[in-house]
Amino acid sequence: GWKDAIITTIINFNNEKMQITWAARELFPSDNVSFSYTFDEGKQKVWKPCPTYLLDQDYNSGCLFKTEGPTLAISIRNSNGSEEIFSKSLKSDFYIKPNRPENVTFFWKEDTVTVSCNKPERAVKCLQLEIQYKSKFDKDWQSRTSKCCSVGEQGFDPKKCYSFRVRLKRLVPYCNVVNYSSDWEAETFWMNGTLLDSCDDDIKSQSNTVIVLSYLLAVLLMIFILLILMCKWQSLQKSVMPAIPDPKYLFVDLFSDHNGNFQEWIDKTDRAMVQTKLEYEDPECITEAESQQEDEKNSDKQGPQEKIFSFSRAAENNDPKVAQTTCLMPTSNTIASFAGFQILMNGDMYVTL
């Protein structure tokens, strides 16, 4: 009865190769068994020895052979084949494990991704296409299954990087008694319709962006601080060392009219100042008769504060009627400032002290 307790694993690789395995060390620890098989039906079966054994520490633990039909019979015997230890008949089509999907393509449209692959040559109706995906923020895979050979899914964030893997599955129990799926196709990485080498590239690019922005902010902050320091320094410099005015702005005529010749400019300036004083300090002139009357009244009161200057106009014919005019000039200090100058008024006039 222990023959019924032997557990075997049967896999039909895409209906091309069969693999039968058993637990050799646990089941037959002291004997190395042999394996034979046949795809023939009826009484006249032709048993074939295993062409390729699978070993587990030098013990025969399985057999690999070519699939030759839908009906399979297997037999496990002792080492010399004289005694049958285990036998079984089965439908090889119910143990098919499909191959990986071929020519897998990804089609992106906004937040929707459609994955498709080439249709297998056999048993397309028994196959489903499964995709699994996750972003760098997800811990577990998200799965979506559809009939072969196209499947679509919505809700993808274009700013996230996603990992995708694809495989084919056999329908259970309509086509298989065992839930076999193909191996996963090589994992791919996508972001907004762009194929990447890995999602680490997206993390690196984001970290590089953060670093660049940090540097830019640091540079802008340093520039701002330098501008503040420059303004403070200029204010301190003005308070400690006031700026020396540029003479060319204060004495424009010195540089524009006299090309910086100070002596020439000062002479002209002195003459202009004297003329200005004469214009604003006009002497008070009275007639000689009025002067005599005023002298008699003020002779006792007037001191040496004023001197009298007489201006006489000599007529060409020595006209005795020409009036003599007397001008009262300022005090001696002012008179000294006018010494040496001749004043011409309406003809030949001269200053008498």
Side-chain angles (χ1 to χ4, degrees):
W2 66 274
K3 295 181 180 180
D4 297 333
I6 295 177
I7 298 175
T8 58
T9 302
I10 304 168
I11 304 176
N12 183 0
F13 291 103
N14 201 41
N15 210 24
E16 296 172 358
K17 287 184 178 182
M18 297 291 301
Q19 175 180 291
I20 312 294
T21 59
W22 57 87
R25 295 181 61 189
E26 288 79 4
L27 296 174
F28 316 109
S30 60
D31 193 7
N32 201 2
V33 297
S34 63
F35 179 86
S36 59
Y37 69 96
T38 182
F39 285 93
D40 296 332
E41 298 180 6
K43 296 181 179 180
Q44 297 180 350
K45 295 180 181 179
V46 179
W47 293 90
K48 298 180 181 179
C50 177
T52 304
Y53 276 103
L54 305 176
L55 303 179
D56 181 10
Q57 296 184 2
D58 296 331
Y59 282 89
N60 294 334
S61 62
C63 181
L64 186 64
F65 53 95
K66 184 179 179 181
T67 303
E68 298 176 358
T71 304
L72 173 65
I74 60 175
S75 176
I76 299 176
R77 296 176 175 269
N78 59 3
S79 58
N80 57 16
S82 60
E83 180 183 358
E84 185 179 73
I85 301 174
F86 176 77
S87 64
K88 185 177 183 178
S89 296
L90 53 96
K91 291 290 184 179
S92 61
D93 292 346
F94 288 168
Y95 296 87
I96 293 178
K97 180 179 180 178
N99 288 339
R100 293 177 178 178
E102 297 179 354
N103 194 21
V104 178
T105 58
F106 290 79
F107 177 74
W108 290 74
K109 185 177 181 181
E110 297 177 353
D111 67 337
T112 303
V113 178
T114 303
V115 183
S116 59
C117 67
N118 290 346
K119 289 184 178 182
E121 296 178 358
R122 302 175 183 174
V124 177
K125 294 181 180 181
C126 290
L127 295 175
Q128 288 181 322
L129 182 63
E130 180 185 10
I131 63 168
Q132 288 188 346
Y133 59 90
K134 66 177 180 178
S135 70
K136 58 186 179 182
F137 303 103
D138 300 327
K139 294 182 180 180
D140 301 324
W141 289 95
Q142 306 294 322
S143 183
R144 180 79 165 86
T145 305
S146 180
K147 64 180 182 179
C148 188
C149 292
S150 179
V151 57
E153 182 66 3
Q154 296 178 340
F156 290 95
D157 189 346
K159 297 181 180 179
K160 293 181 181 179
C161 178
Y162 291 90
S163 303
F164 286 90
R165 59 183 185 181
V166 185
R167 67 180 179 180
L168 290 172
K169 297 181 64 175
R170 288 276 293 187
L171 292 175
V172 178
Y174 304 103
C175 299
N176 264 32
V177 295
V178 182
N179 189 12
Y180 280 150
S181 301
S182 70
D183 295 334
W184 290 104
E185 182 64 17
E187 188 175 347
T188 56
F189 306 93
W190 295 82
M191 181 176 179
N192 196 21
T194 302
L195 180 63
L196 303 176
D197 294 334
S198 68
C199 285
D200 294 336
D201 297 339
D202 178 46
I203 298 174
K204 290 179 181 178
S205 63
Q206 289 185 354
S207 61
N208 292 335
T209 304
V210 172
I211 292 173
V212 171
L213 291 177
S214 300
Y215 277 125
L216 289 176
L217 289 175
V219 170
L220 292 176
L221 182 60
M222 290 179 63
I223 293 174
F224 181 71
I225 293 173
L226 287 175
L227 290 175
I228 293 177
L229 291 177
M230 288 178 63
C231 294
K232 295 292 185 182
W233 172 251
Q234 289 180 356
S235 301
L236 180 61
Q237 192 176 25
K238 287 181 181 180
S239 60
V240 176
M241 295 179 293
I244 300 174
D246 194 342
K248 70 179 181 179
Y249 297 108
L250 297 177
F251 307 100
V252 179
D253 53 348
L254 171 63
F255 296 95
S256 61
D257 298 339
H258 302 283
N259 296 324
N261 191 333
F262 182 78
Q263 188 61 42
E264 180 181 343
W265 173 77
I266 197 64
D267 292 341
K268 182 178 179 181
T269 305
D270 287 344
R271 290 196 295 269
M273 290 177 65
V274 170
Q275 184 176 357
T276 303
K277 288 181 179 181
L278 290 177
E279 291 176 355
Y280 287 93
E281 296 181 7
D282 292 336
E284 183 181 357
C285 300
I286 58 175
T287 60
E288 185 176 1
E290 293 174 347
S291 178
Q292 291 178 357
Q293 293 177 1
E294 291 293 331
D295 289 341
E296 292 176 356
K297 295 179 180 179
N298 299 326
S299 58
D300 296 334
K301 298 179 182 180
Q302 188 175 19
Q305 295 179 352
E306 296 180 350
K307 290 185 179 295
I308 300 174
F309 296 87
S310 298
F311 294 86
S312 62
R313 180 178 180 180
E316 293 179 358
N317 298 323
N318 297 324
D319 190 354
K321 297 181 179 180
V322 176
Q324 186 175 5
T325 305
T326 302
C327 295
L328 299 178
M329 297 301 292
T331 59
S332 60
N333 293 332
T334 306
I335 295 172
S337 65
F338 287 91
F341 293 89
Q342 292 182 353
I343 301 175
L344 302 178
M345 299 178 61
N346 298 326
D348 295 334
M349 306 293 291
Y350 61 91
V351 178
T352 59
L353 299 177

